[in-house]
mmCIF file of all heavy atoms in Angstrom:
data_model
loop_
_atom_site.group_PDB
_atom_site.id
_atom_site.type_symbol
_atom_site.label_atom_id
_atom_site.label_comp_id
_atom_site.label_asym_id
_atom_site.label_seq_id
_atom_site.Cartn_x
_atom_site.Cartn_y
_atom_site.Cartn_z
ATOM 1 N N SER A 35 -71.410 -57.482 99.967
ATOM 2 C CA SER A 35 -70.103 -58.129 99.943
ATOM 3 C C SER A 35 -70.289 -59.639 99.952
ATOM 4 O O SER A 35 -71.348 -60.138 100.346
ATOM 5 C CB SER A 35 -69.258 -57.693 101.140
ATOM 6 O OG SER A 35 -69.890 -58.070 102.330
ATOM 7 N N LYS A 58 -60.618 -60.990 96.321
ATOM 8 C CA LYS A 58 -60.212 -61.155 97.727
ATOM 9 C C LYS A 58 -60.086 -62.619 98.154
ATOM 10 O O LYS A 58 -59.401 -62.926 99.121
ATOM 11 C CB LYS A 58 -61.172 -60.412 98.660
ATOM 12 C CG LYS A 58 -62.557 -61.014 98.761
ATOM 13 C CD LYS A 58 -63.396 -60.293 99.819
ATOM 14 C CE LYS A 58 -64.754 -60.942 99.982
ATOM 15 N NZ LYS A 58 -65.610 -60.302 100.966
ATOM 16 N N GLU A 229 -54.628 -32.710 91.028
ATOM 17 C CA GLU A 229 -55.023 -31.765 92.076
ATOM 18 C C GLU A 229 -56.299 -32.197 92.788
ATOM 19 O O GLU A 229 -56.522 -31.885 93.948
ATOM 20 C CB GLU A 229 -55.225 -30.366 91.472
ATOM 21 C CG GLU A 229 -53.921 -29.602 91.384
ATOM 22 C CD GLU A 229 -54.067 -28.265 90.698
ATOM 23 O OE1 GLU A 229 -55.149 -27.651 90.800
ATOM 24 O OE2 GLU A 229 -53.084 -27.853 90.046
ATOM 25 N N CYS A 231 -57.234 -35.493 93.069
ATOM 26 C CA CYS A 231 -57.094 -36.846 93.639
ATOM 27 C C CYS A 231 -56.703 -36.792 95.116
ATOM 28 O O CYS A 231 -55.788 -36.071 95.507
ATOM 29 C CB CYS A 231 -56.034 -37.610 92.855
ATOM 30 S SG CYS A 231 -55.652 -39.223 93.541
ATOM 31 N N GLN A 236 -58.480 -46.000 97.226
ATOM 32 C CA GLN A 236 -59.680 -46.847 97.192
ATOM 33 C C GLN A 236 -59.886 -47.487 95.812
ATOM 34 O O GLN A 236 -60.335 -48.620 95.708
ATOM 35 C CB GLN A 236 -60.926 -46.029 97.540
ATOM 36 C CG GLN A 236 -60.980 -45.561 98.976
ATOM 37 C CD GLN A 236 -62.372 -45.014 99.318
ATOM 38 O OE1 GLN A 236 -63.318 -45.768 99.474
ATOM 39 N NE2 GLN A 236 -62.493 -43.719 99.421
ATOM 40 N N ASP A 251 -41.873 -58.319 106.588
ATOM 41 C CA ASP A 251 -41.600 -59.360 107.587
ATOM 42 C C ASP A 251 -42.071 -58.897 108.959
ATOM 43 O O ASP A 251 -41.897 -57.733 109.303
ATOM 44 C CB ASP A 251 -40.096 -59.634 107.673
ATOM 45 C CG ASP A 251 -39.600 -60.430 106.479
ATOM 46 O OD1 ASP A 251 -40.428 -60.807 105.633
ATOM 47 O OD2 ASP A 251 -38.378 -60.663 106.399
ATOM 48 N N GLU A 273 -45.476 -43.705 98.534
ATOM 49 C CA GLU A 273 -44.458 -44.658 98.967
ATOM 50 C C GLU A 273 -44.207 -45.758 97.927
ATOM 51 O O GLU A 273 -43.107 -46.308 97.842
ATOM 52 C CB GLU A 273 -44.933 -45.300 100.287
ATOM 53 C CG GLU A 273 -43.964 -46.273 100.890
ATOM 54 C CD GLU A 273 -44.630 -47.190 101.920
ATOM 55 O OE1 GLU A 273 -45.867 -47.283 101.916
ATOM 56 O OE2 GLU A 273 -43.906 -47.794 102.701
ATOM 57 N N ARG A 290 -48.768 -40.417 89.169
ATOM 58 C CA ARG A 290 -49.273 -41.705 89.661
ATOM 59 C C ARG A 290 -50.622 -42.021 89.033
ATOM 60 O O ARG A 290 -50.898 -43.145 88.621
ATOM 61 C CB ARG A 290 -49.392 -41.669 91.184
ATOM 62 C CG ARG A 290 -48.044 -41.806 91.863
ATOM 63 C CD ARG A 290 -48.189 -41.653 93.361
ATOM 64 N NE ARG A 290 -47.721 -40.347 93.784
ATOM 65 C CZ ARG A 290 -48.184 -39.680 94.818
ATOM 66 N NH1 ARG A 290 -49.161 -40.179 95.527
ATOM 67 N NH2 ARG A 290 -47.690 -38.516 95.141
ATOM 68 N N SER B 153 -40.444 -55.418 118.325
ATOM 69 C CA SER B 153 -39.925 -56.764 118.045
ATOM 70 C C SER B 153 -38.829 -56.703 116.994
ATOM 71 O O SER B 153 -37.807 -57.382 117.087
ATOM 72 C CB SER B 153 -41.038 -57.675 117.537
ATOM 73 O OG SER B 153 -42.069 -57.734 118.485
ATOM 74 N N LYS B 154 -39.058 -55.881 115.983
ATOM 75 C CA LYS B 154 -38.057 -55.768 114.917
ATOM 76 C C LYS B 154 -36.793 -55.065 115.401
ATOM 77 O O LYS B 154 -35.683 -55.454 115.055
ATOM 78 C CB LYS B 154 -38.662 -55.027 113.731
ATOM 79 C CG LYS B 154 -39.457 -55.950 112.824
ATOM 80 C CD LYS B 154 -39.641 -55.284 111.501
ATOM 81 C CE LYS B 154 -39.963 -56.287 110.418
ATOM 82 N NZ LYS B 154 -40.284 -55.599 109.159
ATOM 83 N N TYR B 162 -41.304 -51.582 110.073
ATOM 84 C CA TYR B 162 -42.082 -51.047 108.957
ATOM 85 C C TYR B 162 -43.432 -50.573 109.470
ATOM 86 O O TYR B 162 -44.167 -51.328 110.117
ATOM 87 C CB TYR B 162 -42.298 -52.101 107.860
ATOM 88 C CG TYR B 162 -43.167 -51.557 106.741
ATOM 89 C CD1 TYR B 162 -42.601 -50.794 105.730
ATOM 90 C CD2 TYR B 162 -44.553 -51.746 106.738
ATOM 91 C CE1 TYR B 162 -43.394 -50.238 104.729
ATOM 92 C CE2 TYR B 162 -45.350 -51.190 105.744
ATOM 93 C CZ TYR B 162 -44.772 -50.440 104.740
ATOM 94 O OH TYR B 162 -45.550 -49.882 103.766
ATOM 95 N N LYS B 173 -61.034 -49.929 103.189
ATOM 96 C CA LYS B 173 -61.573 -50.623 102.024
ATOM 97 C C LYS B 173 -61.413 -52.134 102.180
ATOM 98 O O LYS B 173 -62.259 -52.904 101.728
ATOM 99 C CB LYS B 173 -60.859 -50.135 100.766
ATOM 100 C CG LYS B 173 -61.734 -50.020 99.555
ATOM 101 C CD LYS B 173 -62.660 -48.829 99.546
ATOM 102 C CE LYS B 173 -64.109 -49.109 99.653
ATOM 103 N NZ LYS B 173 -64.887 -48.078 100.280
ATOM 104 N N GLU B 176 -64.262 -53.472 103.505
ATOM 105 C CA GLU B 176 -65.432 -53.288 102.641
ATOM 106 C C GLU B 176 -66.425 -52.272 103.189
ATOM 107 O O GLU B 176 -67.638 -52.422 103.034
ATOM 108 C CB GLU B 176 -66.118 -54.636 102.340
ATOM 109 C CG GLU B 176 -65.176 -55.626 101.677
ATOM 110 C CD GLU B 176 -65.881 -56.777 101.000
ATOM 111 O OE1 GLU B 176 -66.906 -56.569 100.360
ATOM 112 O OE2 GLU B 176 -65.384 -57.919 101.140
ATOM 113 N N LEU B 182 -68.705 -40.277 100.680
ATOM 114 C CA LEU B 182 -69.788 -40.363 99.698
ATOM 115 C C LEU B 182 -71.138 -40.078 100.349
ATOM 116 O O LEU B 182 -72.065 -39.615 99.704
ATOM 117 C CB LEU B 182 -69.828 -41.757 99.051
ATOM 118 C CG LEU B 182 -68.708 -42.104 98.071
ATOM 119 C CD1 LEU B 182 -68.867 -43.534 97.597
ATOM 120 C CD2 LEU B 182 -68.696 -41.154 96.885
ATOM 121 N N ASP B 216 -48.780 -38.557 102.033
ATOM 122 C CA ASP B 216 -48.962 -37.630 100.915
ATOM 123 C C ASP B 216 -50.396 -37.147 100.879
ATOM 124 O O ASP B 216 -51.181 -37.526 100.017
ATOM 125 C CB ASP B 216 -48.617 -38.345 99.602
ATOM 126 C CG ASP B 216 -48.742 -37.399 98.432
ATOM 127 O OD1 ASP B 216 -48.302 -36.250 98.563
ATOM 128 O OD2 ASP B 216 -49.284 -37.799 97.385
ATOM 129 N N ASN B 218 -53.608 -34.797 100.417
ATOM 130 C CA ASN B 218 -54.038 -33.704 99.551
ATOM 131 C C ASN B 218 -55.090 -32.872 100.303
ATOM 132 O O ASN B 218 -56.291 -33.062 100.143
ATOM 133 C CB ASN B 218 -54.613 -34.261 98.241
ATOM 134 C CG ASN B 218 -54.804 -33.181 97.206
ATOM 135 O OD1 ASN B 218 -54.764 -31.997 97.526
ATOM 136 N ND2 ASN B 218 -55.007 -33.585 95.957
#
Side-chain angles (χ1 to χ4, degrees):
Chain A
S35 61
K58 70 174 183 180
E229 275 176 31
C231 175
Q236 292 192 74
D251 285 357
E273 182 198 17
R290 284 175 256 150
Chain B
S153 302
K154 276 198 159 174
Y162 177 83
K173 217 75 248 151
E176 302 197 41
L182 288 177
D216 182 43
N218 192 346

